[in-house]
Amino acid sequence: MDLSNLTIHQINDLLKCREVKSVDITDSYIKRIKEIDPIISAYLYNDFEEALSNAEDADKIIQKNSDFPYLTGVPLSIKDIFLIKGKRTTCASKILDNFISPYDATVIKRLKKNNYVFIGKTNMDEFAMGSSTENSAYKITKNPYDLNRVPGGSSGGSAASVSADLCAGSFGTDTGGSIRQPASLCGVVGLKPTYGLISRYGIIAFSSSLDQAGVIANDVLDAAIMLKAAVGFDEKDQTTRKLEIKNYPEIVKKADKLTMKGLKVGIPVEFFSEGLDPKIYLKIMEIKDLLKGLGASIVDISLPDTKYSVAAYYVIATSEASSNLERYDGIRFGSRFNEDKNLQSLDELYKKSRELGFGKEVKRRIILGTFALSAGYYDAYYKKASLVRKLIIKNYKDSFNNVDIILGPTSPTPAFLIGEKMSDPLSMYLSDIYTISINLAYLPALSLPIGAVENPTKKGGVLPVGLQLISPWATEERLLSVAKVIEDEVKFREKYTPVM
Ligand code: GLN
């Protein structure tokens, strides 16, 4: 039996009735990774020994107990931005090439408590800066639906690893769209929770007021299961909130069509602007009609200030990044590039390490952010962007006085070709035009695969399309329930399979 194309809840069912062992499941993922990953390049590295030993531990727990956490014995991949004690964490950067994590991120600690199986670290854009995973210093990940196309980014390795069945689920991070956009491009579910719901402790910082860990999964119930395992207050991250932990999986299981009756669904005019692929527009409209048919009321809304979100984001995110990345100087943190023994001063050592350690996009962001924060420019850039952020927060708040949930596209286009946007940073930045404002507003959002469009460069091929759902602060259960109802209607997993 091929055990590597199951959902987490299916794996859990099999383990519960002791039909298979976690070791068998893990073994089948390992076989598939060995066969397929040399083509997809979703992983930066795997640790099969560790995976099998985690699986054996899980099997012992399963033997002894009839009740065990959902993730027990489930092989998951982890974006290479999370610290795992004793393991290499590179953030896909040369500057962290030989960095071994001294401790576990809180998310990892929680996963270990749930007896998960660690199967490998996934590729990403360097320091999570990018939308295609092409900014990785190590390799280019391919989209499992078309090997000539990008998987999206920055959690592209995570999305590709779930889509190509190289793990059962993946943890990623989302600062401006990095979970939702790759999930959309790879035909999987991506959930970026409310800021503060999951601890950022032990996750390498890019932009601290925007970064949020989240999940990439095969279906909505799996996303709920993974979310529940990771959430909760953490005294090591002062931005986490003491919120009631909801039983997301049980809530999702109860979601049904009837609950759509009377649901107020907001359609923001700004999310259907020029630049949106007309075929994606039509797909989103099909879902709007579907919800209407189920008794939801559709409300046209406006989020007028979201048109400034990309601009505000690239001031705030680069400013925070320039400060967060200051620590990589080749002495306190980061590889020291001192082969050149002629270096005359400490300053030269810093410069050399940063020059050789960081890639082009990271340097571009550090320069932009340093400029935005410099004396005399602070008011014109950072302060102004923060004011715009407040307006965006208010736009959403006002809208949620009238609607329960907001619906739109995740990405303006399906997966683009490798190399297509690399020479034009602005067009790359626009890939996140529909996702960025949500991070600025600290809100939760989910990308759900709802169908596919024809692949223009591959006869008979298709490219997945993602729908984005946005809900008020800390209402992930609403997002998940609505997504589950749509998922049951569109049956994406039954209709589409990647080429790899
Ligand atoms: N693509 C966006 C950027 O390049 C968002 C990245 C992210 O969410 N980490 O910054």
Side-chain angles (χ1 to χ4, degrees):
M1 176 162 49
D2 180 15
L3 296 171
S4 59
N5 64 353
L6 302 168
T7 61
I8 295 175
H9 52 94
Q10 286 168 335
I11 293 177
N12 183 259
D13 287 342
L14 289 175
L15 292 175
K16 261 199 178 132
C17 55
R18 299 190 164 84
E19 265 183 44
V20 291
K21 290 187 162 184
S22 167
V23 168
D24 305 324
I25 288 167
T26 305
D27 220 33
S28 70
Y29 279 111
I30 293 176
K31 282 206 186 89
R32 193 164 159 82
I33 291 169
K34 284 186 179 159
E35 190 191 324
I36 307 288
D37 204 47
I39 303 163
I40 301 280
S41 297
Y43 285 99
L44 281 173
Y45 74 86
N46 293 98
D47 195 333
F48 297 140
E49 240 174 75
E50 167 98 13
L52 287 168
S53 128
N54 290 173
E56 278 167 20
D57 292 346
D59 281 330
K60 280 183 207 143
I61 292 166
I62 295 167
Q63 273 294 310
K64 277 195 235 135
N65 309 282
S66 54
D67 199 23
F68 47 86
Y70 258 123
L71 293 180
T72 305
V74 176
L76 301 178
S77 71
I78 307 289
K79 185 179 184 178
D80 201 21
I81 195 168
F82 290 84
L83 302 192
I84 304 183
K85 193 174 174 177
K87 305 246 176 279
R88 199 170 153 220
T89 301
T90 66
C91 235
S93 179
K94 289 281 180 217
I95 210 154
L96 285 172
D97 196 41
N98 47 28
F99 178 69
I100 306 292
S101 319
Y103 60 91
D104 279 331
T106 298
V107 168
I108 300 298
K109 258 198 189 137
R110 295 196 169 154
L111 293 177
K112 285 183 176 173
K113 270 205 185 119
N114 280 268
N115 324 306
Y116 90 119
V117 173
F118 167 69
I119 196 140
K121 284 287 199 77
T122 52
N123 195 23
M124 56 185 280
D125 286 299
E126 183 178 5
F127 284 100
M129 297 172 185
S131 306
S132 66
T133 312
E134 291 164 290
N135 293 334
S136 165
Y138 298 100
K139 47 170 76 166
I140 291 189
T141 300
K142 318 289 184 331
N143 189 307
Y145 279 84
D146 177 351
L147 302 174
N148 294 318
R149 291 179 184 263
V150 302
S154 65
S155 313
S158 286
S161 71
V162 177
S163 170
D165 285 326
L166 303 172
C167 63
S170 189
F171 276 85
T173 58
D174 189 314
T175 303
S178 276
I179 284 177
R180 291 160 286 158
Q181 184 258 14
S184 165
L185 271 42
C186 291
V188 289
V189 176
L191 170 63
K192 173 239 168 288
T194 305
Y195 181 83
L197 200 69
I198 298 182
S199 170
R200 287 180 295 110
Y201 180 73
I203 298 172
I204 294 177
F206 161 14
S207 173
S208 307
S209 77
L210 297 160
D211 297 344
Q212 184 55 214
V215 305
I216 298 184
N218 276 309
D219 69 9
V220 176
L221 180 53
D222 279 7
I225 290 168
M226 294 172 73
L227 179 69
K228 176 155 183 271
V231 298
F233 172 74
D234 178 14
E235 59 186 18
K236 295 198 175 103
D237 173 1
Q238 293 304 314
T239 59
T240 53
R241 302 291 184 110
K242 278 190 178 136
L243 296 166
E244 167 210 354
I245 298 184
K246 297 172 188 159
N247 198 339
Y248 303 108
E250 291 313 309
I251 298 173
V252 164
K253 282 183 203 162
K254 286 189 197 121
D256 74 37
K257 289 202 263 195
L258 293 176
T259 53
M260 296 301 106
K261 235 189 173 74
L263 184 84
K264 288 196 208 127
V265 181
I267 310 276
V269 50
E270 292 78 11
F271 285 17
F272 296 89
S273 51
E274 86 185 274
L276 174 63
D277 183 322
K279 291 197 189 100
I280 295 188
Y281 170 80
L282 291 176
K283 288 275 157 210
I284 307 295
M285 287 304 115
E286 282 174 19
I287 302 299
K288 178 181 111 171
D289 293 342
L290 170 84
L291 290 174
K292 208 169 162 186
L294 294 174
S297 51
I298 307 296
V299 186
D300 289 325
I301 60 168
S302 173
L303 301 163
D305 299 305
T306 56
K307 61 176 171 292
Y308 306 118
S309 58
V310 173
Y313 170 88
Y314 277 95
V315 171
I316 293 171
T318 57
S319 298
E320 294 183 7
S322 72
S323 153
N324 275 327
L325 270 57
E326 201 184 275
R327 72 192 73 178
Y328 306 103
D329 56 11
I331 293 184
R332 289 176 303 160
F333 288 96
S335 312
R336 189 175 304 177
F337 292 90
N338 63 349
E339 306 82 54
D340 184 354
K341 300 278 187 277
N342 293 327
L343 293 181
Q344 298 295 313
S345 65
L346 186 60
D347 227 40
E348 276 186 35
L349 175 64
Y350 289 157
K351 279 190 194 149
K352 199 84 197 159
S353 299
R354 289 168 73 83
E355 180 195 325
L356 299 175
F358 288 136
K360 203 166 152 191
E361 182 61 27
V362 174
K363 283 182 194 151
R364 179 169 16 241
R365 307 260 181 138
I366 293 174
I367 293 168
L368 274 170
T370 307
F371 177 75
L373 290 179
S374 58
Y377 292 101
Y378 178 85
D379 281 0
Y381 295 104
Y382 192 81
K383 201 166 162 197
K384 205 166 179 182
S386 303
L387 291 173
V388 170
R389 186 174 191 172
K390 287 205 174 111
L391 292 175
I392 292 171
I393 292 171
K394 191 169 173 334
N395 283 180
Y396 277 106
K397 221 173 161 188
D398 292 346
S399 297
F400 282 126
N401 284 331
N402 298 319
V403 300
D404 303 310
I405 201 157
I406 293 174
L407 177 155
T410 306
S411 161
T413 64
F416 44 92
L417 291 165
I418 291 171
E420 193 180 323
K421 300 193 181 195
M422 276 308 266
S423 56
D424 181 1
L426 193 59
S427 79
M428 188 74 91
Y429 296 174
L430 289 173
S431 311
D432 296 304
I433 190 155
Y434 305 127
T435 48
I436 273 178
S437 63
I438 292 129
N439 300 72
L440 289 168
Y442 306 101
L443 295 173
L446 182 148
S447 180
L448 178 77
I450 49 157
V453 295
E454 225 173 83
N455 182 342
T457 56
K458 202 162 165 252
K459 220 169 163 250
V462 294
L463 299 170
V465 173
L467 168 87
Q468 182 171 228
L469 295 165
I470 311 158
S471 73
W473 198 80
T475 58
E476 279 70 9
E477 68 284 2
R478 189 180 304 171
L479 277 184
L480 289 160
S481 301
V482 175
K484 174 76 165 96
V485 172
I486 301 172
E487 178 180 73
D488 287 346
E489 295 292 316
V490 299
K491 300 188 171 34
F492 180 89
R493 263 175 80 76
E494 284 172 32
K495 291 186 190 145
Y496 302 100
T497 8
V499 289
M500 281 316 252

mmCIF file of all heavy atoms in Angstrom, residues 51 57 67 151 158 211 252 301 310 384 388 413 446 485:
data_model
loop_
_atom_site.group_PDB
_atom_site.id
_atom_site.type_symbol
_atom_site.label_atom_id
_atom_site.label_comp_id
_atom_site.label_asym_id
_atom_site.label_seq_id
_atom_site.Cartn_x
_atom_site.Cartn_y
_atom_site.Cartn_z
ATOM 1 N N ALA A 51 14.074 10.684 11.488
ATOM 2 C CA ALA A 51 12.667 10.418 11.159
ATOM 3 C C ALA A 51 12.270 9.021 11.633
ATOM 4 O O ALA A 51 11.244 8.847 12.299
ATOM 5 C CB ALA A 51 12.445 10.559 9.654
ATOM 6 N N ASP A 57 9.657 5.870 18.279
ATOM 7 C CA ASP A 57 9.170 6.405 19.562
ATOM 8 C C ASP A 57 7.653 6.553 19.532
ATOM 9 O O ASP A 57 6.963 6.213 20.495
ATOM 10 C CB ASP A 57 9.800 7.778 19.856
ATOM 11 C CG ASP A 57 11.296 7.657 20.129
ATOM 12 O OD1 ASP A 57 11.773 6.518 20.342
ATOM 13 O OD2 ASP A 57 11.989 8.706 20.099
ATOM 14 N N ASP A 67 -5.355 6.667 23.289
ATOM 15 C CA ASP A 67 -5.613 8.068 23.024
ATOM 16 C C ASP A 67 -4.273 8.796 22.913
ATOM 17 O O ASP A 67 -3.534 8.849 23.882
ATOM 18 C CB ASP A 67 -6.430 8.627 24.202
ATOM 19 C CG ASP A 67 -7.121 9.903 23.820
ATOM 20 O OD1 ASP A 67 -7.320 10.103 22.616
ATOM 21 O OD2 ASP A 67 -7.432 10.704 24.731
ATOM 22 N N PRO A 151 7.191 27.377 -7.219
ATOM 23 C CA PRO A 151 6.166 26.932 -6.277
ATOM 24 C C PRO A 151 5.581 28.116 -5.500
ATOM 25 O O PRO A 151 4.741 27.916 -4.627
ATOM 26 C CB PRO A 151 6.958 26.030 -5.333
ATOM 27 C CG PRO A 151 8.344 26.635 -5.325
ATOM 28 C CD PRO A 151 8.565 27.233 -6.690
ATOM 29 N N SER A 158 8.076 24.229 1.461
ATOM 30 C CA SER A 158 7.021 23.646 2.298
ATOM 31 C C SER A 158 5.794 23.306 1.459
ATOM 32 O O SER A 158 5.245 22.198 1.552
ATOM 33 C CB SER A 158 6.611 24.620 3.401
ATOM 34 O OG SER A 158 7.601 24.672 4.401
ATOM 35 N N ASP A 211 5.773 38.999 10.966
ATOM 36 C CA ASP A 211 6.046 37.552 10.891
ATOM 37 C C ASP A 211 5.022 36.751 11.681
ATOM 38 O O ASP A 211 4.696 37.104 12.821
ATOM 39 C CB ASP A 211 7.418 37.210 11.522
ATOM 40 C CG ASP A 211 8.599 37.829 10.807
ATOM 41 O OD1 ASP A 211 8.435 38.268 9.660
ATOM 42 O OD2 ASP A 211 9.705 37.864 11.403
ATOM 43 N N VAL A 252 -14.210 22.048 12.900
ATOM 44 C CA VAL A 252 -14.218 21.805 11.447
ATOM 45 C C VAL A 252 -15.079 20.590 11.102
ATOM 46 O O VAL A 252 -15.841 20.601 10.126
ATOM 47 C CB VAL A 252 -12.768 21.605 10.943
ATOM 48 C CG1 VAL A 252 -12.753 20.973 9.562
ATOM 49 C CG2 VAL A 252 -12.046 22.937 10.917
ATOM 50 N N ILE A 301 -17.990 45.340 -0.713
ATOM 51 C CA ILE A 301 -17.357 46.234 0.258
ATOM 52 C C ILE A 301 -16.155 46.926 -0.384
ATOM 53 O O ILE A 301 -15.731 46.557 -1.487
ATOM 54 C CB ILE A 301 -16.893 45.481 1.540
ATOM 55 C CG1 ILE A 301 -15.880 44.383 1.192
ATOM 56 C CG2 ILE A 301 -18.078 44.905 2.293
ATOM 57 C CD1 ILE A 301 -15.163 43.808 2.405
ATOM 58 N N VAL A 310 1.140 47.465 -0.500
ATOM 59 C CA VAL A 310 2.449 46.987 -0.956
ATOM 60 C C VAL A 310 3.519 48.034 -0.619
ATOM 61 O O VAL A 310 4.591 47.705 -0.104
ATOM 62 C CB VAL A 310 2.426 46.644 -2.473
ATOM 63 C CG1 VAL A 310 3.825 46.303 -2.980
ATOM 64 C CG2 VAL A 310 1.490 45.466 -2.732
ATOM 65 N N LYS A 384 5.145 57.442 8.075
ATOM 66 C CA LYS A 384 4.031 57.519 7.133
ATOM 67 C C LYS A 384 3.460 56.124 6.871
ATOM 68 O O LYS A 384 2.236 55.934 6.858
ATOM 69 C CB LYS A 384 4.532 58.136 5.824
ATOM 70 C CG LYS A 384 3.456 58.795 5.030
ATOM 71 C CD LYS A 384 4.074 59.652 3.963
ATOM 72 C CE LYS A 384 3.043 60.330 3.118
ATOM 73 N NZ LYS A 384 3.706 61.122 2.070
ATOM 74 N N VAL A 388 -0.334 54.629 7.443
ATOM 75 C CA VAL A 388 -1.107 53.893 6.431
ATOM 76 C C VAL A 388 -1.577 52.561 7.014
ATOM 77 O O VAL A 388 -2.725 52.141 6.816
ATOM 78 C CB VAL A 388 -0.259 53.658 5.151
ATOM 79 C CG1 VAL A 388 -0.953 52.696 4.206
ATOM 80 C CG2 VAL A 388 0.029 54.977 4.458
ATOM 81 N N THR A 413 -2.060 35.782 -10.160
ATOM 82 C CA THR A 413 -1.807 34.872 -11.296
ATOM 83 C C THR A 413 -1.564 33.465 -10.762
ATOM 84 O O THR A 413 -1.215 33.300 -9.595
ATOM 85 C CB THR A 413 -0.524 35.272 -12.081
ATOM 86 O OG1 THR A 413 0.606 35.124 -11.198
ATOM 87 C CG2 THR A 413 -0.572 36.685 -12.602
ATOM 88 N N LEU A 446 -6.798 32.422 5.067
ATOM 89 C CA LEU A 446 -6.553 31.049 4.613
ATOM 90 C C LEU A 446 -6.644 30.991 3.096
ATOM 91 O O LEU A 446 -7.522 31.619 2.503
ATOM 92 C CB LEU A 446 -7.613 30.144 5.244
ATOM 93 C CG LEU A 446 -7.552 28.637 4.977
ATOM 94 C CD1 LEU A 446 -8.073 27.882 6.198
ATOM 95 C CD2 LEU A 446 -8.350 28.223 3.754
ATOM 96 N N VAL A 485 -16.590 23.821 4.190
ATOM 97 C CA VAL A 485 -17.814 23.665 3.405
ATOM 98 C C VAL A 485 -17.494 23.815 1.908
ATOM 99 O O VAL A 485 -17.941 23.018 1.076
ATOM 100 C CB VAL A 485 -18.889 24.693 3.858
ATOM 101 C CG1 VAL A 485 -20.084 24.671 2.925
ATOM 102 C CG2 VAL A 485 -19.313 24.404 5.299
#
